[in-house]
Amino acid sequence: MRIVLEHLTKIFTNKKNNTQVIAVNDLNVEIPSGKLIGLLGPSGCGKSTTLFMLSGLETPTSGRIIFGDDDVTKLVPEKRGIGLVFQNYALYPHMTVEQNIMFPLLNMKVPKEEAKTRAYETACLVQIENLLNRKPSELSGGQQQRVAIARALVKMPSVLLLDEPLSNLDARLRLQTREEIKRIQQETGITTLFVTHDQEEAMSICDNILVMKLGVVQQMGHPQEIYDNPDNLFVANFLGTPPINIFEGKIEAGNLYIGEEIIQKGLSFEDQEVFVGIRPEGFVYNQEGGVLTLLKDHIEVMGRDKSIVSTHEKSQKPTVRCIIDSQIAIADKFELKFDLKPEKVFIFNKESEMRLR
C-alpha cells in the first residue's frame, strides 16, 4: 500500500493559556508500497503524532492522508485497514495469547473457528505458536511484543504502524526483536512505519528513514545514503555511533581551516565561518605528516577497532573520537597527527547549519 502525506500539519492548542504548538509542520512525503520506513528523531519531533494521524487516532489540523488511491484523512481507524502496535504492548491480562490475537477478529464478526485458524497461522509467523495458552504475565517482554505484533497482523492490514515497539526491551531482546520485525515485514510485504528515537535501530532494519526535527522533515532516504550525505548539521549529528565530531572552522582563500591547520585545499566556497563534521572513521593516523593535530587523552581497544579519545580546542564536544584499525601502532605521544578521508568530512554553514556542497 503506497502512502502519500500532503501538507500534513498538526497544531495542538493549550486551552489554559491559548498557546499553540506545531507538532507536525507541512509534511509532504510519499512512502512506497511494501517498504519498512523508519520515522526517526528526538523526543518531541512529531514522529509519534505523525503515526497517530496515519492511524486515525489524531485528526490533522490540515493536509491529506492517502492510502493507495483513497483519501483516508477523515476515516475512522477501524476503516483504514491498519494494524497498530504500541510501545507498552496493550495486551489484555485476563486473556490468553490466543484470545489476545483473536480479539480483533471476533470484533469484526469473523467466525470463531476461522479466527482460531488465523490466530494460529499468525502466531507461527511471529514464532509464538507454543505460547498460545499462556497469559501475558507469564511471558517475557520480547514475547509480549510478538503477541502485540501478531494481534496487529491477524487482521491482514494494508499498513502496519509500530510506535517505539522496542523501547521497553533490554539490549539483547531489542536486537533480536528488531531482526524479527524485519523478517516479518519482508515475509508479509506489508507497508510498515516504524517510529523510534534510536538511530542505530532505524538504520539497521529500515529500507528508508525519515529524519524529523521540531515537526519538520530534515531528510529522507536510504539509511546509508543519509549517513554518507547528510543535508544539514542536525542530521549529521543525529546519525552515527559513535557520533560525528564537530569542529569550528573557517574557509579562507579556498582553504578549510580547523584552528591554524589547513585540512583541505582548493575549495570553491566563499570565505566564511563554518562547522566541520568528521566521522570517527574518517581519521587516518599519520604521525609524520598529518593535517590535523589532536591531543590524546586515552585509547580504547575494542576488538578489531581502536578508539582514540582526544581533545581539540575547536571541538564542539568535550572529546574527539577517532576509530582506526586495532593493529595500527600509536606513538606514545601527547600530540597525535591525522590525515582525513575527504568523503568523511562535511562542511556546514555556521548560520543556517546547511551543508556546503
Side-chain angles (χ1 to χ4, degrees):
M1 175 75 74
R2 182 180 69 108
I3 300 173
V4 178
L5 309 180
E6 294 181 352
H7 302 289
L8 197 64
T9 298
K10 180 63 179 181
I11 301 174
F12 292 103
T13 302
N14 187 327
K15 295 181 179 179
K16 290 184 179 180
N17 55 21
N18 204 33
T19 57
Q20 292 187 330
V21 175
I22 303 176
V24 177
N25 191 356
D26 195 33
L27 186 60
N28 290 282
V29 172
E30 180 171 331
I31 297 167
S33 178
K35 298 296 184 181
L36 175 55
I37 307 297
L39 297 183
L40 180 63
S43 297
C45 73
K47 54 188 185 295
S48 288
T49 301
T50 300
L51 198 80
F52 292 155
M53 286 192 286
L54 283 164
S55 71
L57 296 179
E58 288 284 359
T59 303
T61 303
S62 60
R64 296 201 307 160
I65 302 171
I66 299 169
F67 286 1
D69 297 320
D70 300 323
D71 187 333
V72 302
T73 312
K74 296 182 180 179
L75 275 186
V76 294
E78 55 267 28
K79 293 188 177 181
R80 295 195 181 197
I82 58 105
L84 181 59
V85 179
F86 296 100
Q87 67 185 76
N88 63 354
Y89 319 137
L91 301 177
Y92 298 108
H94 62 288
M95 294 184 180
T96 64
V97 167
E98 182 182 54
Q99 290 168 336
N100 265 283
I101 298 173
M102 289 172 58
F103 185 78
L105 296 180
L106 298 179
N107 269 355
M108 296 163 59
K109 309 301 182 185
V110 174
K112 189 172 183 180
E113 286 307 309
E114 181 185 343
K116 284 178 72 71
T117 300
R118 284 170 60 177
Y120 178 76
E121 290 171 349
T122 309
C124 290
L125 176 66
V126 300
Q127 298 178 352
I128 54 169
E129 67 273 16
N130 60 328
L131 305 176
L132 289 173
N133 294 321
R134 296 190 190 180
K135 297 284 183 65
S137 60
E138 302 174 90
L139 306 178
S140 69
Q143 290 169 335
Q144 290 185 54
Q145 189 58 275
R146 292 185 189 214
V147 177
I149 293 171
R151 187 177 59 187
L153 288 173
V154 77
K155 297 184 293 182
M156 301 178 182
S158 301
V159 176
L160 180 62
L161 306 173
L162 307 171
D163 184 32
E164 302 270 10
L166 310 181
S167 60
N168 291 333
L169 305 180
D170 62 38
R172 183 183 62 82
L173 276 177
R174 285 172 78 97
L175 179 62
Q176 179 183 339
T177 308
R178 78 188 189 197
E179 291 172 350
E180 284 299 300
I181 288 173
K182 180 65 174 177
R183 177 187 63 80
I184 292 164
Q185 191 277 327
Q186 288 180 328
E187 287 188 18
T188 60
I190 296 173
T191 303
T192 301
L193 275 80
F194 178 93
V195 164
T196 179
H197 63 272
D198 186 324
Q199 50 92 14
E200 183 180 348
E201 205 166 82
M203 291 185 71
S204 66
I205 66 170
C206 294
D207 298 308
N208 287 304
I209 56 175
L210 189 154
V211 184
M212 297 183 69
K213 175 188 177 185
L214 298 176
V216 177
V217 173
Q218 303 296 304
Q219 193 169 352
M220 182 176 178
H222 186 273
Q224 192 64 46
E225 173 62 24
I226 294 180
Y227 180 83
D228 290 337
N229 291 288
D231 283 345
N232 57 45
L233 185 63
F234 174 81
V235 174
N237 253 320
F238 199 78
L239 293 186
T241 304
I244 195 169
N245 302 289
I246 304 294
F247 301 85
E248 293 182 359
K250 63 181 178 181
I251 297 173
E252 285 186 359
N255 296 323
L256 176 60
Y257 289 82
I258 293 179
E260 300 303 315
E261 296 178 300
I262 297 175
I263 65 165
Q264 283 186 359
K265 297 179 179 180
L267 301 178
S268 57
F269 306 119
E270 62 183 29
D271 291 0
Q272 59 186 293
E273 300 290 318
V274 296
F275 290 117
V276 182
I278 307 174
R279 293 286 184 199
E281 67 274 19
F283 295 86
V284 179
Y285 178 62
N286 180 3
Q287 192 63 30
E288 301 306 316
V291 297
L292 183 63
T293 303
L294 300 176
L295 307 180
K296 183 178 68 177
D297 185 286
H298 64 279
I299 296 176
E300 301 170 354
V301 179
M302 304 175 296
R304 66 179 182 181
D305 295 325
K306 184 178 291 183
S307 178
I308 304 171
V309 181
S310 53
T311 60
H312 192 285
E313 62 177 356
K314 294 297 183 180
S315 173
Q316 275 202 318
K317 301 171 185 177
T319 59
V320 178
R321 192 173 287 270
C322 316
I323 304 295
I324 64 172
D325 191 288
S326 62
Q327 295 182 355
I328 296 175
I330 302 297
D332 188 18
K333 294 184 177 182
F334 179 55
E335 291 188 352
L336 300 180
K337 290 186 173 292
F338 296 87
D339 286 323
L340 303 171
K341 300 176 184 178
E343 71 277 11
K344 298 296 182 180
V345 178
F346 310 111
I347 309 171
F348 304 94
N349 178 273
K350 201 162 190 177
E351 292 184 5
S352 68
E353 298 189 351
M354 297 301 294
R355 184 174 167 196
L356 301 181
R357 298 180 183 270

